[in-house]
Amino acid sequence: MVVEDEQAIRTVVEYALEDAGFEVVSVARGDDALRMIQDQPVDLVILDLMLPGVDGLEVCKRIRAERGTPIIILSARGEELDKVLGLELGADDYVTKPFSPRELVSRVRANLRRARSEPDRGQSLRAGDLEIDPVARTVTRGEEEVHLTFSEFEILHKLASSPRRVFTREELMNHLWEGSFFGDLRSVDVHVRHLRQKVEDDASNPTLIRTVRGVGYAFGADVARV
Ligand code: CA
């Protein structure tokens, strides 16, 4: 589903997706998108932010509250990145305008592949009171469950699977996108910031997810496989 009020962009996106073999429904208004998705579930949503009716952030929030459909935000504004990938919204990806239709199509493919991929079969990882269960895809601290987005979970699990090993931002994004990532590496930093707020005792003085200046990130604690 393409939700975009600018007809020129809508047409380009529709054409690119149909050309790639996807079936596309498109709407120009946020309220129409919400109505339509109730009657006709879709596999993925491409969502503009500035929309008549109900704006894109609200559409994202409401879809996310009900279903796990992958959402790619089309954003003209870099500064929305934080909000979009943030806790409340939990969009899966974003593409900044202007974008190449080819890039958008590969992001759609990557998101669909990711949404359909089998969950990891592996042992749980434990570091202090933090436990990461890759089968149930849950994270707990003591008795408390920590709610992570898909990307936050993947980054945490990747880092904790090889404690002390330094991962570059490129490595982490390529892991998230199964090697097909191209885009803005700053989104790694946004995910890590949110992750720290959820799993660190003191997010401003992180001990689990360490920044390795000029390189990337590493898991800073000992990990037991349980
Ligand atoms: Ca718009």
Side-chain angles (χ1 to χ4, degrees):
M1 174 185 273
V2 179
V3 192
E4 165 67 74
D5 59 324
E6 257 177 83
Q7 188 173 353
I9 298 178
R10 204 166 62 230
T11 305
V12 166
V13 173
E14 267 173 35
Y15 182 80
L17 289 170
E18 279 169 358
D19 196 45
F22 293 104
E23 213 177 300
V24 185
V25 289
S26 52
V27 288
R29 298 175 55 93
D31 44 359
D32 289 342
L34 289 170
R35 237 189 324 272
M36 209 149 155
I37 208 167
Q38 294 294 345
D39 302 336
Q40 184 184 2
V42 297
D43 296 316
L44 181 140
V45 179
I46 296 173
L47 181 64
D48 180 31
L49 286 181
M50 300 283 274
L51 289 169
V54 177
D55 79 24
L57 294 176
E58 186 61 28
V59 172
C60 183
K61 214 187 289 182
R62 291 205 214 157
I63 292 174
R64 191 44 87 242
E66 285 178 23
R67 56 191 91 222
T69 313
I71 300 172
I72 301 177
I73 299 284
L74 280 183
S75 172
R77 297 163 297 174
E79 68 269 25
E80 292 288 356
L81 172 62
D82 194 56
K83 221 168 168 186
V84 161
L85 295 175
L87 315 180
E88 311 151 73
L89 290 184
D92 296 275
D93 198 6
Y94 74 100
V95 172
T96 311
K97 295 176 188 172
F99 55 89
S100 90
R102 247 178 92 181
E103 178 183 343
L104 182 64
V105 167
S106 37
R107 301 286 273 273
V108 166
R109 286 211 177 93
N111 274 276
L112 287 172
R113 203 166 50 231
R114 201 169 83 155
R116 287 167 185 163
S117 66
E118 284 290 303
D120 231 313
R121 304 275 161 216
Q123 288 172 296
S124 288
L125 304 176
R126 188 182 289 160
D129 67 349
L130 188 75
E131 189 165 326
I132 307 162
D133 179 344
V135 178
R137 294 190 68 90
T138 54
V139 173
T140 48
R141 288 195 69 188
E143 299 294 301
E144 295 277 297
E145 182 165 352
V146 183
H147 296 280
L148 301 184
T149 66
F150 184 98
S151 298
E152 289 162 5
F153 183 90
E154 287 297 318
I155 290 173
L156 179 65
H157 185 247
K158 186 76 182 167
L159 293 173
S161 298
S162 304
R164 322 280 176 200
R165 170 169 166 347
V166 184
F167 289 88
T168 63
R169 290 173 175 78
E170 286 89 344
E171 278 181 290
L172 292 172
M173 285 319 270
N174 279 321
H175 167 67
L176 278 182
W177 295 105
E178 296 169 340
S180 62
F181 174 75
F182 44 109
D184 193 338
L185 287 171
R186 284 176 312 167
S187 57
V188 178
D189 303 324
V190 176
H191 291 313
V192 166
R193 192 163 69 246
H194 291 143
L195 200 45
R196 281 174 172 158
Q197 283 160 6
K198 297 177 184 181
V199 302
E200 298 280 358
D201 287 330
D202 175 4
S204 57
N205 189 17
T207 55
L208 295 177
I209 302 159
R210 286 177 36 239
T211 300
V212 181
R213 207 174 289 259
V215 189
Y217 296 101
F219 198 79
D222 291 327
V223 173
R225 290 173 188 269
V226 292

